[in-house]
Amino acid sequence: MSLRLRRIVLDGFRKFRTPTVIEGLTDGLNIVIEDNETGKSTLLEALRAAFFVRHNTKNQLAQSYAPHGEAVGPKVEVVFEADGAPWSVSKRFLRGASVEVTGPQGRAQGEDAETRLNTLLGSVKDNSRSGDVASYGALGLLWVAQTEALAVSAPGQIVRDTITSTLEAEVGSIMGGPAYKKVRARVDDQYGAYWTPTGQKRGRQTEARERLERADAAARDATERLAALERTFTDLEGARAKLKVIEREVSDETDAEARRALLTSLENARTAVQILATRRAEQEAASGKVAALQELQRRHLLATDARDKAQAALGDAQTRRHRIGERLLEARQRVADARTSLEDARGTRAATKAAASAGEQLVAGQKRAAASRAARARHAELLALEREHRDAKALADTAIPAMGIAALEANERAVAEARAVLNAGATRISYVGPEGAVLIDGEAITLGERTLTRSTTFSFGKAALTVIPPGAAESAEEALMESKRKLAAALEELRVADLAGARARNERARDATAEMRTLDARIKVVTPSDPIIDLVAGPEALKLYMAELSGEAENAQDDVPDLAALSQELNAAEDRLARAEGVQESAVDLLRRIEEEDGPLVTMEAAAASDLANAQSQIDEAEARPEFATLTETIGSARERAAECAVKLEDAERNATAHDPAAITKKIEVIDARSRTATEARSRLLTEIARLENTIEIEGGNGLGDRAAAATEEAETARTAFQRVTVEADTLKLLRDTLDEAHAEISTQFVGPVARRAKRHIERLLPGCELRFSEDLALVSVTRGGLAEECENLSRGTQEQLAVLTRIAFADMLLEQGRPVSLILDDPLVYSDDGRLDTMIEILTEAATRMQVILLTCRDRAFRHIPGNRISLGR
């Protein structure tokens, strides 16, 4: 009898917070392909709840049905067919719990409805807290949730009892009559006197074995003591002979003379290593000088090329310039207000930044002071080198990042562009005549030129003349002022006067970095290791050694400013400045919109002019360097110097290689170790000779021979008794195993029909295989090519496939008994390769001709080609 689901309604059940209807389910294969988290697993859980979970339970499983955060009564309705008859079940949990079942016999509610469902589906009442699928009967085995099919397991007791009733008619009753039980009880009683239930030895076997072990141990001990006494005489003679050899080696003076010669070679090797370090430092300094001069030459060539290109671009831009503009009066007040706010924000930011910088300088100064106090007693030459190193480090730290230089160049370019726009759009006048004769905006005009960017009135006695410049002039003047302010702020932030100063500071920082590498090499040369005073190599070891000689240095501490608080204040000021700049940019953009047509040409001319000035500045900067006049000759001299240093370095490396301090030290250590070993061996031999002499004196008169003979006789007696007990135990075990084999043979006949039905499906997946089932109908192993493989040792994909196929076999057997059967697989075959997946799909498609099959999956690519009824969850 096949069970066929037709319609499912869920309301307030976990993810399904609103009423959801799933219908259109057909007799054969039904496929639900939906994305993750859409409720496929919840749908299967709802079906289990409707058929098997009691409506009035409030266990942990029922509590999980309610949607998270909602106090509602989850409801499930299912319309289905069983043995061709229409049925329906409606069940509500928790709040207003109820159940109603409608079938061929009419309606039933409450406990009667639950009983009718159990009778129809062959299930029993589930009293567990989280749901026991074994109590669900056949559908508990065939409705497979996620991961439940990842291991091959035995069916529940209900299913086994159902299948047993079918198989007993084929193979007869299982061996187990009264005579068998009586014999088996007697055998088990005698078996327990020799063996544990798991087949381990105990009782009489253990006692006999322990007696034999004690006797063997006593015999071995007596024999070993006798043999040990005999060996003692031999060992004593051997130890005396070895002592004579060791004493000859200790008196030999050859190793002492070799050690003195090696010490002399070691001093020569250390001197060669120090010279090598000095030559390496000189070579690095010379190579750095050549690289710096070549870099200067390369920058000059690049700047010259950039200047020529900028001149051509500037000429082209100037020929294409034309004036375009309109008035934009309504934005003036907005720009003025934004400018005022921006100036206030900049002032606040500058003050806060100055305070933060002062705090950082104070902390840095304290650290430098502490370092200076700690080094007051260092060696004179090391002090001079470290002072030079600190100066070079401070100069190197002033290097401005490439992004900072680029920002300065961009700000200068912006100033040039804004000035060009202003010159292009403003009105210029020149006055010549007596002062005070003409008034400009009510004030006396002065001699000379003036630029007009806004409406201006000239008074000539009673007459007045108003000059109105183009509207673009005012916004251009504002843009120029803003660009200048940004440039000034950037220069102030970097603490440089102009872009050339920034580049010069970077040049000094690069030279300082090269100087630091040279100083590091020199410091390493003047701080070699000295094993005579246990001083290891390095400046820190030297400073520690000198400090121990001269006492502790002062360690005064000043108040440390709260850098975190200063940083927070600076961040707040930066935020205010950013907001003010945003308002300012918005106001200027409002004025600038009308000037967009003229903008590209203005920008082109300004950019070309800025690039020209920048390139010329770089050329002037390079040519102003003292070494530029004779740069080619200086590079040649530097290369010659580098070559000389390389030759000296090679000579020093050859000298250092010829005298390897590590190898010489190793030879000295070998000689010392050999001497220590000989001395220690002499002491051990003297001790061993004394011990052996004392042992001979003690053991000589104890009668060890007689003791060994008595112990051997007792061991033979115990061995004879142990062999007799072992024969008795093996006989009982053989009898018991024979009974088990007979019982297993009958059991094999019992599970044979199950194996034949399962093999029909499994052989399509694993050709030529043999199956072995346990008494509880669980698939235990698969034999292929004569090799048996336990199911638990198979891959996860094979286990999942076998689990699905055995379920299909059980479903076919339950169909023969007229049991309600359908197959639901949630996210099946996730570990299957493409070939096996196709085979499994073919088997499932064939099974769908005998029963209703529902596949719940998120793998559209794997199942889209399968011919079947497509179902949507309707969400």
Side-chain angles (χ1 to χ4, degrees), residues 133-258:
V133 295
S135 66
Y136 299 168
L139 296 182
L141 176 69
L142 301 179
W143 290 1
V144 187
Q146 278 187 350
T147 72
E148 286 184 2
L150 293 182
V152 181
S153 57
Q157 186 63 45
I158 298 175
V159 177
R160 292 202 302 272
D161 292 343
T162 302
I163 295 174
T164 298
S165 63
T166 301
L167 298 180
E168 284 183 344
E170 297 184 27
V171 300
S173 61
I174 300 176
M175 179 179 180
Y180 168 79
K181 293 181 179 178
K182 183 177 180 180
V183 172
R184 180 56 185 263
R186 178 59 177 166
V187 171
D188 287 345
D189 182 57
Q190 293 295 320
Y191 181 86
Y194 295 90
W195 304 94
T196 65
T198 59
Q200 302 297 319
K201 297 178 180 180
R202 72 173 181 182
R204 297 176 184 175
Q205 286 197 94
T206 304
E207 294 172 359
R209 184 182 66 252
E210 289 175 352
R211 177 189 175 188
L212 175 60
E213 289 174 352
R214 288 194 299 270
D216 283 342
R220 282 196 304 271
D221 180 64
T223 302
E224 288 174 358
R225 290 184 62 184
L226 180 61
L229 179 61
E230 294 175 352
R231 287 196 301 269
T232 302
F233 288 99
T234 303
D235 293 344
L236 179 61
E237 293 301 323
R240 288 171 176 171
K242 291 180 181 178
L243 180 61
K244 293 180 181 179
V245 174
I246 293 298
E247 288 177 343
R248 285 198 301 271
E249 291 180 0
V250 170
S251 61
D252 191 356
E253 292 293 329
T254 303
D255 284 347
E257 295 176 358

Side-chain angles (χ1 to χ4, degrees), residues 452-632:
L452 303 181
T453 59
R454 56 176 58 88
S455 177
T456 306
T457 301
F458 296 85
S459 301
F460 306 90
K462 295 182 178 181
L465 173 65
T466 299
V467 177
I468 303 174
E474 186 174 357
S475 64
E477 182 183 23
E478 184 62 33
L480 177 59
M481 294 175 61
E482 175 61 20
S483 298
K484 288 181 177 180
R485 284 192 290 269
K486 286 186 177 180
L487 178 59
L491 292 172
E492 181 182 359
E493 182 176 355
L494 296 176
R495 298 181 181 178
V496 294
D498 51 23
L499 179 60
R503 291 197 181 98
R505 192 166 82 184
N506 270 15
E507 288 293 335
R508 292 192 296 273
R510 279 195 292 269
D511 293 341
T513 301
E515 181 66 18
M516 285 173 58
R517 290 194 295 268
T518 303
L519 290 172
D520 287 336
R522 294 176 62 187
I523 289 173
K524 185 176 180 180
V525 171
V526 300
T527 56
S529 62
D530 190 349
I532 297 177
I533 58 173
D534 294 332
L535 178 65
V536 298
E540 294 301 327
L542 176 60
K543 288 184 283 188
L544 178 61
Y545 178 74
M546 298 300 294
E548 291 176 351
L549 294 179
S550 59
E552 294 293 332
E554 297 180 1
N555 192 21
Q557 292 289 337
D558 297 329
D559 293 337
V560 180
D562 189 353
L563 294 182
L566 293 175
S567 177
Q568 291 179 355
E569 294 176 2
L570 179 59
N571 290 337
E574 292 284 359
D575 293 342
R576 181 183 174 191
L577 176 60
R579 287 192 293 270
E581 287 178 344
V583 173
Q584 170 70 11
E585 291 175 0
S586 176
V588 172
D589 287 340
L590 186 63
L591 288 172
R592 191 178 296 146
R593 290 175 185 170
I594 202 168
E595 306 164 2
E596 291 180 351
E597 294 183 17
D598 190 46
L601 292 179
V602 173
T603 302
M604 184 185 301
E605 181 181 1
S610 176
D611 292 342
L612 178 60
N614 185 26
Q616 187 62 46
S617 173
Q618 295 184 33
I619 293 173
D620 296 342
E621 176 189 350
E623 293 178 351
R625 300 204 44 172
E627 63 268 24
F628 183 79
T630 58
L631 183 59
T632 303

